[in-house]
Amino acid sequence: MKNLKKLLAICLMAVLTLSFAACGKKDEGSKTLTFGTNAEFPPFEYVASKGTIGEFDGIDMVIAKQIAEDQGKTAAINNMEFDSLLLALQNGQVDAVIAGMTIDPERAEAVDFSVPYYTATQVMIVKEDSAIAKASDMADKKIVVIQGYTGESCVKDLGYPYEAFKKGSEAILELNNGKCDVVVIDSATASKYVKDNPGLKIVEDADAFGSEEYGIAVKKGNTELLNKINESINKMKADGKISEISAQYMDVQTEE
Ligand code: GLN
């Protein structure tokens, strides 16, 4: 009996200690702004040996760091699959999502988007000697897209069969190895891949692919955070910081 009481007391102590520790963590958490991303999208986010936020680097990482600093907080990154990002936001796993994410009506039903901070379009990456000159030339070709990216819905809308890969780098490898004819992906990321992979070129088709705007997502109704994010973005747009870092990161050699 005595032993049982002792055991109960020890258990109670353990529970109390753990809950205090958890409270402490929560407190610490409020000084951290956690961003969800998918670090497979150079020059916006990728893993580097020495990054801007931990091992994560890219245009979005510089923007995220500034947004956190503007609020007196430290930015943290939760790296996950692109398809899981909006769910992680809804579950409260992350405070915001910064992932070169295109603002589109379907996503805007699930989350709230900031003001746009970057304009892009879908483009085709092909081998330098490819005959593909416009989107309709892809009709009988082997097309690769990245799963869940806007590029996938664009190709789907065009009605062409395609294969979806999880990572841009895998898609580029497939193209380099001659296993597919074309990769459809966002323009800045395409430029980066073409720059880093000799023998590839970009083909644009403004009639087939419209322009897209990237925004940062927050949980639906989190206007307090959204307003702060918008303030930071507007400041970085006005003082030219976003253009400056965009140009700078196009020139950084991405480590594979
Ligand atoms: N802009 C594209 C989209 O939102 C791709 C984004 C990304 O891969 N990070 O789907």
Side-chain angles (χ1 to χ4, degrees):
M1 192 62 190
K2 228 181 182 177
N3 273 348
L4 190 69
K5 268 193 184 160
K6 224 180 191 174
L7 190 69
L8 279 175
I10 290 173
C11 283
L12 191 67
M13 286 269 281
V15 167
L16 281 177
T17 317
L18 277 176
S19 42
F20 275 132
C23 284
K25 216 170 182 186
K26 214 171 197 170
D27 240 25
E28 202 182 271
S30 67
K31 289 200 190 98
T32 306
L33 198 60
T34 306
F35 289 87
T37 200
N38 171 239
E40 296 286 347
F41 197 59
F44 292 93
E45 40 267 328
Y46 53 91
V47 175
S49 45
K50 199 178 168 300
T52 297
I53 306 173
E55 77 261 43
F56 303 104
D57 210 357
I59 300 166
D60 283 349
M61 300 301 104
V62 179
I63 294 175
K65 192 173 182 205
Q66 186 64 54
I67 288 173
E69 275 171 15
D70 287 349
Q71 298 174 37
K73 295 184 179 188
T74 309
I77 293 299
N78 193 339
N79 187 26
M80 62 186 81
E81 285 191 4
F82 189 77
D83 273 349
S84 312
L85 286 168
L86 297 190
L87 203 63
L89 193 55
Q90 287 165 325
N91 291 342
Q93 250 174 286
V94 296
D95 299 305
V97 164
I98 185 159
M101 186 175 275
T102 303
I103 304 171
D104 77 19
E106 202 181 310
R107 290 172 181 163
E109 267 178 32
V111 296
D112 285 338
F113 278 105
S114 68
V115 291
Y117 65 90
Y118 195 89
T119 304
T121 183
Q122 296 301 308
V123 298
M124 295 165 279
I125 310 180
V126 296
K127 284 252 173 93
E128 243 160 22
D129 59 0
S130 168
I132 295 177
K134 52 186 183 315
S136 56
D137 293 336
M138 295 194 293
D140 57 349
K141 296 285 188 296
K142 196 156 178 266
I143 308 171
V144 163
V145 298
I146 323 302
Q147 191 180 313
Y149 286 19
T150 34
E152 180 176 13
S153 26
C154 285
V155 174
K156 204 185 263 172
D157 288 349
L158 289 169
Y160 304 144
Y162 61 83
E163 195 178 345
F165 278 59
K166 284 234 176 227
K167 296 179 180 180
S169 51
E170 288 171 356
I172 294 301
L173 200 66
E174 192 84 346
L175 183 61
N176 273 332
N177 291 341
K179 289 189 183 157
C180 75
D181 302 302
V182 53
V183 173
V184 178
I185 198 165
D186 298 47
S187 43
T189 303
S191 303
K192 188 78 187 98
Y193 282 137
V194 166
K195 208 166 186 194
D196 295 347
N197 291 271
L200 302 182
K201 68 173 180 187
I202 289 176
V203 177
E204 295 177 40
D205 186 342
D207 294 330
F209 306 116
S211 74
E212 302 178 15
E213 289 186 304
Y214 295 170
I216 298 172
V218 299
K219 195 173 187 167
K220 227 175 181 37
N222 191 354
T223 38
E224 195 189 333
L225 179 57
L226 193 63
N227 289 341
K228 288 179 187 161
I229 290 177
N230 282 341
E231 233 174 80
S232 296
I233 294 178
N234 286 333
K235 191 187 73 188
M236 282 185 266
K237 273 159 90 173
D239 67 13
K241 178 154 179 172
I242 294 191
S243 325
E244 195 184 298
I245 52 179
S246 303
Q248 181 196 325
Y249 274 96
M250 279 312 288
D251 289 337
V252 177
Q253 178 79 34
T254 316
E255 304 155 29
E256 286 293 331

PDB file of all heavy atoms in Angstrom, residues 184-198:
ATOM      1  N   VAL A 184       6.888  20.636 -67.317  1.00  0.00           N
ATOM      2  CA  VAL A 184       6.147  21.890 -67.165  1.00  0.00           C
ATOM      3  C   VAL A 184       6.260  22.333 -65.702  1.00  0.00           C
ATOM      4  O   VAL A 184       5.883  21.584 -64.799  1.00  0.00           O
ATOM      5  CB  VAL A 184       4.670  21.734 -67.587  1.00  0.00           C
ATOM      6  CG1 VAL A 184       3.903  23.044 -67.367  1.00  0.00           C
ATOM      7  CG2 VAL A 184       4.576  21.296 -69.034  1.00  0.00           C
ATOM      8  N   ILE A 185       6.791  23.526 -65.501  1.00  0.00           N
ATOM      9  CA  ILE A 185       7.046  24.012 -64.134  1.00  0.00           C
ATOM     10  C   ILE A 185       7.089  25.550 -64.130  1.00  0.00           C
ATOM     11  O   ILE A 185       7.150  26.166 -65.191  1.00  0.00           O
ATOM     12  CB  ILE A 185       8.375  23.391 -63.604  1.00  0.00           C
ATOM     13  CG1 ILE A 185       8.472  23.487 -62.076  1.00  0.00           C
ATOM     14  CG2 ILE A 185       9.590  23.996 -64.290  1.00  0.00           C
ATOM     15  CD1 ILE A 185       9.547  22.602 -61.458  1.00  0.00           C
ATOM     16  N   ASP A 186       7.073  26.140 -62.941  1.00  0.00           N
ATOM     17  CA  ASP A 186       7.094  27.602 -62.804  1.00  0.00           C
ATOM     18  C   ASP A 186       8.367  28.222 -63.418  1.00  0.00           C
ATOM     19  O   ASP A 186       9.457  27.647 -63.310  1.00  0.00           O
ATOM     20  CB  ASP A 186       7.046  27.999 -61.321  1.00  0.00           C
ATOM     21  CG  ASP A 186       5.771  27.536 -60.639  1.00  0.00           C
ATOM     22  OD1 ASP A 186       5.390  26.366 -60.815  1.00  0.00           O
ATOM     23  OD2 ASP A 186       5.167  28.340 -59.926  1.00  0.00           O
ATOM     24  N   SER A 187       8.176  29.433 -63.972  1.00  0.00           N
ATOM     25  CA  SER A 187       9.241  30.084 -64.742  1.00  0.00           C
ATOM     26  C   SER A 187      10.580  30.299 -64.023  1.00  0.00           C
ATOM     27  O   SER A 187      11.626  29.948 -64.559  1.00  0.00           O
ATOM     28  CB  SER A 187       8.728  31.421 -65.289  1.00  0.00           C
ATOM     29  OG  SER A 187       7.985  32.116 -64.301  1.00  0.00           O
ATOM     30  N   ALA A 188      10.544  30.844 -62.806  1.00  0.00           N
ATOM     31  CA  ALA A 188      11.816  31.162 -62.137  1.00  0.00           C
ATOM     32  C   ALA A 188      12.560  29.878 -61.783  1.00  0.00           C
ATOM     33  O   ALA A 188      13.784  29.796 -61.906  1.00  0.00           O
ATOM     34  CB  ALA A 188      11.585  32.000 -60.885  1.00  0.00           C
ATOM     35  N   THR A 189      11.801  28.867 -61.376  1.00  0.00           N
ATOM     36  CA  THR A 189      12.411  27.580 -61.030  1.00  0.00           C
ATOM     37  C   THR A 189      12.987  26.942 -62.294  1.00  0.00           C
ATOM     38  O   THR A 189      14.087  26.381 -62.278  1.00  0.00           O
ATOM     39  CB  THR A 189      11.362  26.671 -60.364  1.00  0.00           C
ATOM     40  OG1 THR A 189      10.854  27.376 -59.232  1.00  0.00           O
ATOM     41  CG2 THR A 189      11.948  25.361 -59.898  1.00  0.00           C
ATOM     42  N   ALA A 190      12.256  27.094 -63.405  1.00  0.00           N
ATOM     43  CA  ALA A 190      12.744  26.574 -64.685  1.00  0.00           C
ATOM     44  C   ALA A 190      14.053  27.260 -65.063  1.00  0.00           C
ATOM     45  O   ALA A 190      15.018  26.596 -65.460  1.00  0.00           O
ATOM     46  CB  ALA A 190      11.691  26.800 -65.762  1.00  0.00           C
ATOM     47  N   SER A 191      14.113  28.580 -64.930  1.00  0.00           N
ATOM     48  CA  SER A 191      15.344  29.313 -65.273  1.00  0.00           C
ATOM     49  C   SER A 191      16.511  28.804 -64.452  1.00  0.00           C
ATOM     50  O   SER A 191      17.629  28.658 -64.948  1.00  0.00           O
ATOM     51  CB  SER A 191      15.197  30.809 -64.998  1.00  0.00           C
ATOM     52  OG  SER A 191      14.112  31.315 -65.691  1.00  0.00           O
ATOM     53  N   LYS A 192      16.230  28.550 -63.189  1.00  0.00           N
ATOM     54  CA  LYS A 192      17.281  28.073 -62.286  1.00  0.00           C
ATOM     55  C   LYS A 192      17.777  26.699 -62.739  1.00  0.00           C
ATOM     56  O   LYS A 192      18.984  26.461 -62.832  1.00  0.00           O
ATOM     57  CB  LYS A 192      16.685  28.005 -60.871  1.00  0.00           C
ATOM     58  CG  LYS A 192      17.658  27.730 -59.805  1.00  0.00           C
ATOM     59  CD  LYS A 192      18.454  28.990 -59.443  1.00  0.00           C
ATOM     60  CE  LYS A 192      19.564  28.684 -58.471  1.00  0.00           C
ATOM     61  NZ  LYS A 192      20.856  28.517 -59.103  1.00  0.00           N
ATOM     62  N   TYR A 193      16.841  25.796 -63.032  1.00  0.00           N
ATOM     63  CA  TYR A 193      17.232  24.454 -63.470  1.00  0.00           C
ATOM     64  C   TYR A 193      18.018  24.506 -64.781  1.00  0.00           C
ATOM     65  O   TYR A 193      19.005  23.792 -64.951  1.00  0.00           O
ATOM     66  CB  TYR A 193      15.995  23.558 -63.639  1.00  0.00           C
ATOM     67  CG  TYR A 193      15.432  23.009 -62.347  1.00  0.00           C
ATOM     68  CD1 TYR A 193      14.060  22.986 -62.107  1.00  0.00           C
ATOM     69  CD2 TYR A 193      16.270  22.483 -61.357  1.00  0.00           C
ATOM     70  CE1 TYR A 193      13.537  22.471 -60.922  1.00  0.00           C
ATOM     71  CE2 TYR A 193      15.756  21.974 -60.179  1.00  0.00           C
ATOM     72  CZ  TYR A 193      14.385  21.969 -59.963  1.00  0.00           C
ATOM     73  OH  TYR A 193      13.877  21.460 -58.798  1.00  0.00           O
ATOM     74  N   VAL A 194      17.561  25.363 -65.709  1.00  0.00           N
ATOM     75  CA  VAL A 194      18.231  25.446 -67.013  1.00  0.00           C
ATOM     76  C   VAL A 194      19.645  26.021 -66.842  1.00  0.00           C
ATOM     77  O   VAL A 194      20.600  25.577 -67.474  1.00  0.00           O
ATOM     78  CB  VAL A 194      17.384  26.274 -68.009  1.00  0.00           C
ATOM     79  CG1 VAL A 194      18.178  26.659 -69.243  1.00  0.00           C
ATOM     80  CG2 VAL A 194      16.134  25.486 -68.401  1.00  0.00           C
ATOM     81  N   LYS A 195      19.762  26.977 -65.937  1.00  0.00           N
ATOM     82  CA  LYS A 195      21.059  27.571 -65.662  1.00  0.00           C
ATOM     83  C   LYS A 195      22.030  26.521 -65.108  1.00  0.00           C
ATOM     84  O   LYS A 195      23.204  26.509 -65.446  1.00  0.00           O
ATOM     85  CB  LYS A 195      20.849  28.676 -64.609  1.00  0.00           C
ATOM     86  CG  LYS A 195      21.844  29.774 -64.692  1.00  0.00           C
ATOM     87  CD  LYS A 195      21.375  30.955 -63.890  1.00  0.00           C
ATOM     88  CE  LYS A 195      22.354  32.062 -64.133  1.00  0.00           C
ATOM     89  NZ  LYS A 195      22.223  33.134 -63.218  1.00  0.00           N
ATOM     90  N   ASP A 196      21.505  25.647 -64.254  1.00  0.00           N
ATOM     91  CA  ASP A 196      22.356  24.653 -63.584  1.00  0.00           C
ATOM     92  C   ASP A 196      22.514  23.360 -64.388  1.00  0.00           C
ATOM     93  O   ASP A 196      23.267  22.483 -63.985  1.00  0.00           O
ATOM     94  CB  ASP A 196      21.783  24.316 -62.190  1.00  0.00           C
ATOM     95  CG  ASP A 196      21.818  25.515 -61.246  1.00  0.00           C
ATOM     96  OD1 ASP A 196      22.488  26.502 -61.587  1.00  0.00           O
ATOM     97  OD2 ASP A 196      21.171  25.466 -60.177  1.00  0.00           O
ATOM     98  N   ASN A 197      21.745  23.209 -65.483  1.00  0.00           N
ATOM     99  CA  ASN A 197      21.805  21.970 -66.275  1.00  0.00           C
ATOM    100  C   ASN A 197      22.034  22.284 -67.745  1.00  0.00           C
ATOM    101  O   ASN A 197      21.068  22.501 -68.489  1.00  0.00           O
ATOM    102  CB  ASN A 197      20.497  21.173 -66.138  1.00  0.00           C
ATOM    103  CG  ASN A 197      20.312  20.589 -64.763  1.00  0.00           C
ATOM    104  OD1 ASN A 197      20.749  19.486 -64.477  1.00  0.00           O
ATOM    105  ND2 ASN A 197      19.677  21.359 -63.887  1.00  0.00           N
ATOM    106  N   PRO A 198      23.278  22.303 -68.207  1.00  0.00           N
ATOM    107  CA  PRO A 198      23.551  22.619 -69.605  1.00  0.00           C
ATOM    108  C   PRO A 198      22.840  21.636 -70.535  1.00  0.00           C
ATOM    109  O   PRO A 198      22.672  20.468 -70.182  1.00  0.00           O
ATOM    110  CB  PRO A 198      25.078  22.462 -69.729  1.00  0.00           C
ATOM    111  CG  PRO A 198      25.612  22.325 -68.350  1.00  0.00           C
ATOM    112  CD  PRO A 198      24.489  21.991 -67.432  1.00  0.00           C
TER     113      PRO A 198
END
